[in-house]
Amino acid sequence: MNDSSLHPHDRLLLPQEKLKSPIWTMGISGIVLLLISFMGFGVNRSEFYHAWLFSFLFYFGLCAGSFFWVLLHYVTNAGWDTLLRRQVENVASLFPLVSLFSLPIFFDIFSSHLLYEWTRPEIQKLKDYLEKSLYLNVPFFCLRAFIYFCFFGFVSWFFRKLSCVQDEDANPYHSLRLKRLAYPIAVIFGFLFTFFAIDWVMSLDYRWSSTVWAFYLFAGSAGASLSFWILILIMLRQRGYLQQLNEEHYHLLGKLLFAFTALWAYLAFSQYMLIWYGNIPEETYFFIRRNYDGWYYVSLLLVGGRFALPFLFLLPQSTKKNKNFLGFVALWVLFMQAVELYWIVMPMELSRNFAVGWIEMIILIGMGLVFLAGYLKKATEAYLYPIHDPRLQESIEVYN
């Protein structure tokens, strides 16, 4: 069976030549904005590095969450999302690009010591640091970062590679091979993401700790990447691609977004409640810092905007099946993910009243343009869906 007989009305590929110019335009524009952002290095180094970390974490989370959805497809032997899977494969394969975004952070770790206070020589003499120094030290931090980036970059590339090879040779063994590999890789993925969350985010305040921190960050990343996935699918469908995509797919995606909204709220509340109940000074300081001045209103916004609004809007079945409404909620969740990461990272520098400066905006937009250019480049290099996956027909005919 050839491709055209299976999907006679589908456009299988994005126009590579037509998109070549927009890809270069976005990529170069993003790089220019990032170069302009270095002017902020001379204005306020601390704000610059914190803003850079915030943006890096946002796009790293999109890649990590996307790869989670790829793994979940194989681990659960899902068939309904086969038609949709290629887009999260494309996003997840951007790990090497996003890893490059981390380079200025390493410069700070080795020189300025403005992000992670445990890298400062005067802090390294304190008793509370020495108790954690076996783990929190610069050489070991860099080694772990190297492992994270190499692992995530390789496995995301490998899964997409085999999926694309199957498009050419139509060998069903590739699906079986990826399914077998997904189980151990999912375990390793969870293990490494946990330590990434500790290293790159929780250690911003090395005195503070939370036992659910990695799960909390993961829930946010999974929800944000799912939202990004939904937006990509809607835009492709509106432009005449993925014609087999229907309201049943939207309904299932909406269910997942609803579930991960609830999961995020459960973990966020659990973390807050346990720290509040324990009332240990070095733990409560995390929330005290974020409950004064303007940051207090951002905290309230997270409660209402990150949980209550998406939860209520996605309760009815009709809203989950409506692509326009689902797209609006997905865009809102993606925005709230950026707000949440800003709320996590920036109070470490902006201890004064809440503010959003030009440095933060330029870095976020600059990285975003480079990120989108990378995604479009990947999207034009392969079919928009795995045309020879054994479960493709099941995905097309899905009903729930």
Side-chain angles (χ1 to χ4, degrees):
M1 183 180 294
N2 59 41
D3 308 335
S4 59
S5 64
L6 181 60
H7 313 296
H9 304 296
D10 271 12
R11 296 157 66 186
L12 301 178
L13 290 164
L14 290 175
Q16 194 169 25
E17 287 302 318
K18 186 177 179 181
L19 288 175
K20 193 172 184 180
S21 178
I23 290 172
W24 276 101
T25 301
M26 281 195 294
I28 294 173
S29 299
I31 292 172
V32 169
L33 284 178
L34 291 177
L35 291 175
I36 292 174
S37 74
F38 277 89
M39 294 171 58
F41 183 82
V43 176
N44 188 330
R45 291 189 180 187
S46 180
E47 183 178 355
F48 170 82
Y49 281 124
H50 283 83
W52 196 281
L53 176 63
F54 149 67
S55 296
F56 164 72
L57 291 174
F58 179 77
Y59 294 107
F60 185 91
L62 291 183
C63 290
S66 295
F67 187 60
F68 163 74
W69 295 115
V70 174
L71 288 175
L72 190 67
H73 166 83
Y74 289 107
V75 168
T76 60
N77 199 27
W80 70 270
D81 62 339
T82 303
L83 180 69
L84 326 176
R85 194 188 69 229
R86 181 57 50 80
Q87 304 315 312
V88 277
E89 290 175 344
N90 291 336
V91 177
S93 66
L94 296 177
F95 266 121
L97 173 65
V98 174
S99 298
L100 293 177
F101 292 158
S102 68
L103 292 178
I105 299 171
F106 285 102
F107 183 80
D108 173 73
I109 289 173
F110 283 101
S111 60
S112 304
H113 313 299
L114 295 172
L115 272 174
Y116 303 99
E117 61 177 356
W118 56 265
T119 62
R120 301 170 189 168
E122 65 272 17
I123 297 294
Q124 293 175 355
K125 300 175 184 178
L126 301 179
K127 181 181 178 182
D128 55 357
Y129 166 76
L130 293 174
E131 293 171 348
K132 304 178 181 181
S133 61
L134 188 63
Y135 181 83
L136 275 185
N137 60 79
V138 172
F140 195 24
F141 177 94
C142 294
L143 174 62
R144 293 193 301 272
F146 178 77
I147 294 172
Y148 304 148
F149 296 151
C150 287
F151 172 80
F152 291 138
F154 175 75
V155 294
S156 60
W157 168 84
F158 183 78
F159 270 68
R160 182 180 181 274
K161 176 67 175 177
L162 277 193
S163 178
C164 292
V165 167
Q166 189 179 61
D167 292 345
E168 305 301 327
D169 62 17
N171 187 348
Y173 175 72
H174 296 309
S175 295
L176 181 61
R177 184 183 181 189
L178 289 174
K179 178 176 169 21
R180 290 172 177 170
L181 288 172
Y183 296 105
I185 288 177
V187 175
I188 300 171
F189 170 83
F191 182 80
L192 292 183
F193 187 88
T194 297
F195 282 95
F196 174 87
I198 294 171
D199 290 355
W200 287 74
V201 192
M202 196 167 75
S203 74
L204 284 168
D205 185 348
Y206 73 93
R207 300 175 186 85
W208 184 76
S209 63
S210 169
T211 54
V212 298
W213 184 249
F215 300 101
Y216 168 69
L217 281 189
F218 163 75
S221 297
S225 60
L226 176 59
S227 299
F228 191 57
W229 189 12
I230 291 170
L231 291 171
I232 289 173
L233 294 171
I234 291 174
M235 286 188 284
L236 286 173
R237 184 69 172 79
Q238 288 177 340
R239 283 158 178 77
Y241 302 96
L242 298 179
Q243 293 299 300
Q244 304 287 355
L245 183 63
N246 56 54
E247 69 174 16
E248 297 300 324
H249 295 106
Y250 293 132
H251 187 202
L252 288 163
L253 290 167
K255 286 180 178 180
L256 285 174
L257 187 57
F258 177 81
F260 273 82
T261 297
L263 176 62
W264 176 89
Y266 169 76
L267 292 170
F269 173 75
S270 298
Q271 179 175 252
Y272 180 84
M273 186 269 292
L274 289 173
I275 290 176
W276 170 81
Y277 183 78
N279 199 27
I280 301 173
E282 56 266 30
E283 292 182 356
T284 57
Y285 184 67
F286 176 89
F287 290 104
I288 291 173
R289 187 195 294 264
R290 291 161 179 81
N291 277 277
Y292 280 97
D293 300 321
W295 294 109
Y296 171 74
Y297 299 103
V298 180
S299 300
L300 292 180
L301 176 62
L302 286 174
V303 176
R306 187 63 176 85
F307 166 63
L309 289 179
F311 184 85
L312 293 174
F313 287 169
L314 291 172
L315 269 176
Q317 184 183 92
S318 58
T319 58
K320 292 191 283 286
K321 288 188 173 184
N322 186 312
K323 69 177 183 354
N324 294 324
F325 197 91
L326 183 62
F328 169 76
V329 175
L331 185 62
W332 176 256
V333 170
L334 200 61
F335 166 72
M336 289 308 302
Q337 173 70 0
V339 172
E340 180 189 11
L341 289 173
Y342 195 85
W343 176 81
I344 290 172
V345 174
M346 295 308 293
M348 302 303 297
E349 195 281 327
L350 297 172
S351 55
R352 61 186 188 278
N353 202 2
F354 166 77
V356 178
W358 65 271
I359 300 175
E360 293 92 313
M361 294 305 300
I362 285 184
I363 295 175
L364 183 66
I365 295 171
M367 283 190 190
L369 289 172
V370 175
F371 187 84
L372 288 175
Y375 163 75
L376 284 175
K377 180 75 164 55
K378 293 288 184 181
T380 58
E381 293 174 349
Y383 291 111
L384 289 173
Y385 54 87
I387 59 175
H388 290 305
D389 191 290
R391 307 196 71 170
L392 179 58
Q393 197 62 37
E394 177 186 347
S395 176
I396 293 172
E397 298 172 355
V398 67
Y399 178 78
N400 70 100

